[in-house]
Amino acid sequence: MTADKELDARGLNCPLPILKAKKALADMLSGQTLKVISTDAGSVRDFQAFAKQTGNVLLQQETVGGDHISLLKRR
């Protein structure tokens, strides 16, 4: 999973991973990708809802050990 930018949100609880991702995406160009790594299990469904609400595309999600990884594409 390669991305234009990576955000390490490990140790942060809801809603901080989403807020940090929103801020990171705002500084990116349309079509660029953001990889978010979080340890908050709730972030999996949060990023699904976030993508639907904002028009950004959720390209991929996976869990590796205790890390929940989401790959978002900037609208």
Side-chain angles (χ1 to χ4, degrees):
M1 214 189 296
T2 60
D4 296 301
K5 190 172 189 177
E6 187 171 309
L7 173 65
D8 186 348
R10 292 180 187 110
L12 301 177
N13 292 320
C14 181
L16 289 175
I18 292 289
L19 293 175
K20 289 192 174 283
K22 183 177 180 179
K23 184 174 185 202
L25 285 166
D27 293 335
M28 297 173 70
L29 300 174
S30 181
Q32 287 187 309
T33 54
L34 173 67
K35 178 180 178 180
V36 183
I37 305 168
S38 174
T39 50
D40 180 12
S43 69
V44 174
R45 62 175 153 52
D46 289 345
F47 278 109
Q48 293 168 0
F50 173 76
K52 285 181 186 175
Q53 291 173 352
T54 61
N56 295 300
V57 180
L58 182 62
L59 297 172
Q60 186 177 352
Q61 283 187 311
E62 67 178 329
T63 300
V64 179
D67 290 342
H68 306 287
I69 304 166
S70 299
L71 186 64
L72 296 156
K73 183 177 180 181
R74 171 84 158 95
R75 60 179 159 87

